[in-house]
């Protein structure tokens, strides 16, 4: 049985880690982008951003003040036992979010959608958000994602239904056109990690796109050849657009393109995209059945990718 | 393209000399604003906070600030937010608040640009995400509407020291840096689609 104190503290640490440090795969993508950049202004912008990211790890402050929506993914062992059960887990998460906001690891960003009322602690109707995956074993893996408002609100996250007859061309055209629209004047903080969900109902596709953007490691590939080809073709196409950091013009417009899919009704193929900010933030920790806590460099949400 | 170190409050001449692509660093007194302050003043008719009456550099930003004992405030993180979302209020803010410079991510739309041209005001934007460099250049002096609007929507009075670099994306002549760049990206898009085998004649099957 994992004590409540242990999982609440671990969730807080996942928030702190996700807000203040950037995962090794994202850092490696930054280093590749800086190395490859031919335009001086873009190279300087990337370098300054990467410097600030590294300073946040030392200063123990958020890598970007827009910590956005607090989103949690729990990978739960089928034999995992929690003191207080799963309602306790959600209550502990809300408590950890309140503490992280109070201590400056999260900005008080979540507000009432009509009045703008600010509870001041990032906790309200349907926020924070919880997603669960059940696996063999007795561990609990906790991933916190800071889903920034720039990449969410300015066109980088959306969906449409494409006819089966329109095939991969229809899917890819939607992605390219959407990305171009969304990166005008740098609203979505490019270069982005772009997640794409193909198939399922609109919400299934949107969830897959979000998970592909926020949980897949940058540089990983879908093991299915047809989807890997879409990832690679779109990575090349989007990086030929010249969007660059914050839309100012540059060689890198996406850090990665990750595709996930669901079986679907082929009357219409839902395609969803979800952009993650270049300052792509996530923090994962594993709690073993005996209460020990282990570091994880990636959420391991999609079995090794 | 030139680099300017400007002192706020700014003169008309300070901003008239700026052209899109120029780099600016700001020193002096500035104030902050987001959605709720725009609505508070321009839709609901409350008076503009005192900070806005004395200052002409507005930063669209929601900083992370932790209140300290004895009425002090500690700035934890700072990154300008997207200005385009305030377009509905932009022209009136420039006109009624007497702004000379708006600092924000992205840019402003046609109506605000038109007012900026008439009133001599520019928009500048960050071309990186480097909150740690900026936090060191900012001192928080005071805050208004903290209780009414919350930490990030309140109006912060800041004294800044060579805050930048920011790039002029809208100048007083009605030019927009991003609009020019848009044409280049559109041409690249057509080539990228062609490489994916998607020609200009591609049409989606109309499902709805």
């Amino acid at each position: 049985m994992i004590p409540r104190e242990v999982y609440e503290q671990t969730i807080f640490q996942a928030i702190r880690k996700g807000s203040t440090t950037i995962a090794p795969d994202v850092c490696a993508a930054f280093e590749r982008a800086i190395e490859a950049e031919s335009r001086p202004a873009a190279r300087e912008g990337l370098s300054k951003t990467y410097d600030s990211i590294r300073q946040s790890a030392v200063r123990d402050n958020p890598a970007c003040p827009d910590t956005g929506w607090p989103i949690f993914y729990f990978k739960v062992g089928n034999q995992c036992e929690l003191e207080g059960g799963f309602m306790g887990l959600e209550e502990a998460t809300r408590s950890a979010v309140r503490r992280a906001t109070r201590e400056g690891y999260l900005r008080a960003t979540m507000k009432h959608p009509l009045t703008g009322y600010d509870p001041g602690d990032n906790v309200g109707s349907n926020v924070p958000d919880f997603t669960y995956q059940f696996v063999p074993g007795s561990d609990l893996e906790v991933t916190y994602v800071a889903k920034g408002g720039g990449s969410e609100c300015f066109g980088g996250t959306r969906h449409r239904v494409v006819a089966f007859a329109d095939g991969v061309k229809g899917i890819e055209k939607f992605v390219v056109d959407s990305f171009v629209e969304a990166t005008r004047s740098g609203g979505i903080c490019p270069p982005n990690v772009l997640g794409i969900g193909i198939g399922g109902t609109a919400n299934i596709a949107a969830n897959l796109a979000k998970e592909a953007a926020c949980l897949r490691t940058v540089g990983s590939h879908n093991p299915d050849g047809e989807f890997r080809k879409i990832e690679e073709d779109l990575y090349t196409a989007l990086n030929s657009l010249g969007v660059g950091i914050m839309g100012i013009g540059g060689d890198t417009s996406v850090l990665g393109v990750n595709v996930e899919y669901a079986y679907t009704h082929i009357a219409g193929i839902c395609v969803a995209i979800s952009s993650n900010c270049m300052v792509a933030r996530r923090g994962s920790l594993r709690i073993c059945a005996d209460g020990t806590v282990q570091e994880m460099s990636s959420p391991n949400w999609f079995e090794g990718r | 393209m030139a680099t300017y170190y400007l002192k706020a409050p700014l003169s008309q001449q300070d901003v008239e000399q700026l052209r899109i692509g120029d780099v600016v660093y700001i020193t002096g007194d500035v104030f902050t604003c987001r959605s709720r302050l725009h609505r508070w003043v321009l839709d609901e008719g409350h008076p503009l906070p005192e900070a806005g009456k004395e200052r002409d550099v507005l930063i669209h930003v929601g900083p992370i600030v932790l209140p300290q004992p004895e009425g002090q405030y500690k700035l934890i993180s700072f990154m300008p937010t997207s200005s385009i979302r305030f377009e509905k209020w932009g022209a009136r803010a420039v006109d009624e608040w007497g702004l000379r410079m708006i600092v924000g991510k992205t840019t402003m739309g046609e109506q605000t640009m038109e007012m900026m041209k008439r009133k001599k005001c520019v928009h500048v934007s960050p071309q990186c995400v480097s909150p740690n460099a900026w936090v060191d250049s900012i001192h928080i002096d005071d805050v208004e509407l903290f209780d009414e609007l919350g930490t990030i929507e309140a109006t912060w009075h800041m004294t800044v020291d060579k805050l930048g670099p920011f790039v002029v994306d809208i100048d007083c002549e009605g030019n927009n840096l991003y609009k020019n760049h848009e044409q280049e990206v559109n041409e690249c898009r057509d080539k990228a689609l062609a490489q994916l085998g998607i020609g200009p004649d591609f049409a989606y099957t109309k499902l709805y």
Side-chain angles (χ1 to χ4, degrees):
Chain A
M1 172 102 54
I2 301 171
R4 159 133 183 183
E5 195 186 327
V6 170
Y7 63 74
E8 181 166 334
Q9 176 64 14
T10 305
I11 294 164
F12 173 78
Q13 288 301 344
I15 297 171
R16 181 176 171 181
K17 178 181 171 181
S19 173
T20 62
T21 64
I22 300 300
D25 54 299
V26 180
C27 287
F30 257 96
E31 286 166 16
R32 284 195 298 273
I34 292 166
E35 181 66 29
E37 185 58 62
S38 65
R39 302 194 207 186
R43 196 180 170 111
E44 190 187 343
L46 287 165
S47 296
K48 283 189 167 168
T49 304
Y50 190 43
D51 282 350
S52 185
I53 283 172
R54 284 184 297 185
Q55 278 182 46
S56 277
V58 178
R59 296 185 183 200
D60 192 33
N61 69 6
C64 176
D66 185 4
T67 53
W69 286 262
I71 300 179
F72 293 87
Y73 294 90
F74 294 110
K75 205 164 167 180
V76 185
N78 203 31
Q79 273 75 46
C80 176
E81 288 188 71
L82 300 173
E83 182 192 357
F86 288 91
M87 289 173 73
L89 181 69
E90 295 195 352
E91 191 43 50
T93 306
R94 285 188 278 270
S95 175
V97 166
R98 288 193 180 98
R99 179 182 161 198
T101 309
R102 209 163 51 236
E103 296 185 13
Y105 295 111
L106 298 180
R107 187 178 67 178
T109 305
M110 295 292 100
K111 302 191 180 73
H112 187 280
L114 301 183
T115 63
Y117 165 73
D118 181 6
D121 61 4
N122 282 312
V123 176
S125 178
N126 291 307
V127 166
D129 178 55
F130 305 102
T131 302
Y132 299 90
Q133 187 183 144
F134 301 100
V135 294
S138 50
D139 297 345
L140 172 69
E141 293 179 358
V142 178
T143 293
Y144 157 75
V145 168
K147 187 61 193 64
S151 57
E152 192 70 21
C153 300
F154 294 91
T157 296
R158 59 170 93 177
H159 78 277
R160 77 163 285 157
V161 180
V162 173
F164 182 71
D166 296 340
V168 173
K169 285 184 184 177
I171 291 168
E172 292 182 340
K173 181 172 167 56
F174 168 66
V175 174
V176 172
D177 288 346
S178 301
F179 188 77
V180 168
E181 272 182 31
T183 49
R184 293 188 202 287
S185 76
I188 64 172
C189 292
N192 303 90
V193 182
L194 188 66
I196 301 168
I198 300 173
T201 55
N203 61 309
I204 293 171
N207 283 335
L208 286 170
K210 176 78 72 254
E211 292 165 12
C214 300
L215 303 179
R216 283 261 308 265
T217 51
V218 176
S220 66
H221 291 290
N222 193 301
D224 185 315
E226 286 171 89
F227 292 98
R228 179 176 176 143
K229 186 171 186 320
I230 295 174
E231 289 177 347
E232 290 174 341
D233 288 349
L234 283 173
Y235 180 81
T236 304
L238 297 175
N239 277 326
S240 74
L241 294 172
V243 168
I245 181 168
M246 302 306 277
I248 65 167
D251 300 324
T252 301
S253 303
V254 285
L255 296 175
V257 176
N258 301 328
V259 179
E260 296 296 330
Y261 77 99
Y263 268 57
T264 197
H265 192 309
I266 64 167
I269 315 302
C270 192
V271 188
I273 62 168
S274 177
S275 300
N276 203 356
C277 328
M278 68 177 128
V279 185
R281 288 153 290 162
R282 55 166 209 252
S284 301
L285 292 165
R286 177 186 298 112
I287 312 172
C288 302
D290 64 4
T292 56
V293 178
Q294 298 172 346
E295 286 290 332
M296 295 171 71
S297 64
S298 85
N300 190 30
W301 192 252
F302 290 107
E303 296 308 322
R305 63 183 185 277
Chain B
M1 284 176 275
T3 299
Y4 294 89
Y5 291 86
L6 300 174
K7 283 209 154 150
L10 303 172
S11 68
Q12 182 167 330
Q13 197 184 359
D14 282 336
V15 295
E16 273 180 336
Q17 67 186 335
L18 301 174
R19 289 292 169 272
I20 53 170
D22 286 344
V23 174
V24 300
Y25 291 83
I26 308 146
T27 297
D29 295 339
V30 303
F31 73 112
T32 74
C33 167
R34 274 167 62 105
S35 305
R36 287 196 72 201
L37 188 82
H38 280 106
R39 180 179 279 186
W40 178 264
V41 177
L42 297 174
D43 293 352
E44 296 172 1
H46 296 282
L48 180 67
E50 289 303 315
K53 294 173 187 163
E54 301 152 3
R55 293 162 170 79
D56 61 6
V57 177
L58 169 66
I59 307 184
H60 289 151
V61 65
I64 302 181
V65 181
L66 289 186
Q68 304 290 298
E70 296 173 23
Q72 301 293 303
Y73 295 99
K74 187 179 178 194
L75 180 63
I76 304 289
S77 192
F78 172 99
M79 165 75 200
T81 192
S82 294
S83 297
I84 191 69
R85 57 202 261 220
F86 310 120
E87 176 59 15
K88 189 183 164 197
W89 294 298
R92 282 185 64 200
V94 169
D95 184 22
E96 295 173 29
W97 302 354
L99 304 176
R100 286 273 176 237
M101 178 180 285
I102 298 174
V103 182
K105 212 179 90 181
T106 67
T107 190
M108 300 296 297
E110 293 293 336
Q111 286 186 336
T112 307
M113 281 176 60
E114 186 56 38
M115 187 59 79
M116 289 176 136
K117 195 172 163 183
R118 274 176 52 198
K119 294 285 178 169
K120 305 300 172 196
C121 176
V122 297
H123 186 274
V124 303
S125 55
Q127 305 205 329
C128 57
V129 180
S130 57
N132 284 310
W134 293 319
V135 161
D136 293 342
S137 314
I138 299 169
H139 181 263
I140 292 184
D141 300 318
D142 204 354
V143 63
E144 289 174 79
L145 299 172
F146 185 89
D147 294 334
E148 294 85 346
L149 305 182
T151 346
I152 71 171
E153 307 280 332
T155 298
W156 293 96
H157 304 208
M158 295 173 167
T159 306
V160 301
D161 181 23
K162 296 190 205 69
L163 184 69
F166 301 123
V167 172
V168 179
D169 59 275
I170 300 173
D171 62 23
C172 301
E173 306 272 294
N175 300 303
N176 188 307
L177 183 72
Y178 292 111
K179 211 161 190 180
N180 295 352
H181 181 52
E182 208 171 294
Q183 292 167 359
E184 186 188 327
V185 172
N186 285 347
E187 284 167 23
C188 293
R189 176 195 58 198
D190 295 342
K191 282 186 209 155
L193 288 172
Q195 275 173 2
L196 292 167
I198 305 163
D201 57 337
F202 176 90
Y204 288 112
T205 304
K206 281 196 88 171
L207 295 176
Y208 43 83

